[in-house]
Amino acid sequence: MKKIIYITLCIIGILSFSCEKEKIETDPKKAILGKWEIVEMGNWPNMEPIEEPLAYEEYLPDSILGEYEYKTKNSYFKKYWIEGSTLLISTLREDGFELVFKYKYDFFDNNTLRLESYSVMMSNTSIYNRLE
């Protein structure tokens, strides 16, 4: 009887360690790293699904944001940084003028990101899913 209890406890112990939940990254500068693809767009909470995304974005550790278009296979690069609860993305126009776009960010988990534009636009909220 003691052997059965011991074996049962061992199995429960092994299962409890192997079923560990994914750790949620709390540092936004680390959480944003990686490839992201837009899946919804609209005015929060009224969102519309994006059936065929045109591109994905990749946030790199050196504050470079790469945008990769699927159809043309073109790449574009910008600068990004995080200040408090704001994600800032900088791009240069052809005349050399720097434009800085501001977004409020929110991570629902490690794999879902919501960006809300500070500017007044028709669609000011985007939802992204992390690509593996």
Side-chain angles (χ1 to χ4, degrees), residues 58-66 68 76-80:
E58 183 173 14
Y59 293 85
L60 302 169
D62 57 358
S63 296
I64 300 295
L65 168 59
Y68 304 94
Y76 304 95
F77 297 94
K78 301 174 182 180
K79 291 183 346 185
Y80 80 91

Side-chain angles (χ1 to χ4, degrees), residues 98-109:
E98 181 182 30
L99 296 170
V100 177
F101 299 93
K102 296 179 180 183
Y103 301 90
K104 180 182 176 218
Y105 65 86
D106 187 21
F107 292 96
F108 295 146
D109 55 36

Side-chain angles (χ1 to χ4, degrees), residues 48-121:
E48 296 290 327
I50 304 294
E51 299 297 329
E52 293 185 39
L54 301 175
Y56 72 84
E57 299 177 353
E58 183 173 14
Y59 293 85
L60 302 169
D62 57 358
S63 296
I64 300 295
L65 168 59
E67 295 180 348
Y68 304 94
E69 291 181 353
Y70 292 129
K71 187 175 181 179
T72 64
K73 298 185 178 162
N74 288 334
S75 299
Y76 304 95
F77 297 94
K78 301 174 182 180
K79 291 183 346 185
Y80 80 91
W81 62 100
I82 292 176
E83 291 180 0
S85 62
T86 304
L87 169 67
L88 297 109
I89 298 176
S90 168
T91 186
L92 291 176
R93 292 190 323 199
E94 289 180 11
D95 63 1
F97 184 80
E98 181 182 30
L99 296 170
V100 177
F101 299 93
K102 296 179 180 183
Y103 301 90
K104 180 182 176 218
Y105 65 86
D106 187 21
F107 292 96
F108 295 146
D109 55 36
N110 285 344
N111 298 311
T112 307
L113 167 65
R114 181 177 81 171
L115 295 180
E116 188 171 340
S117 174
Y118 280 107
S119 64
V120 179
M121 299 184 332

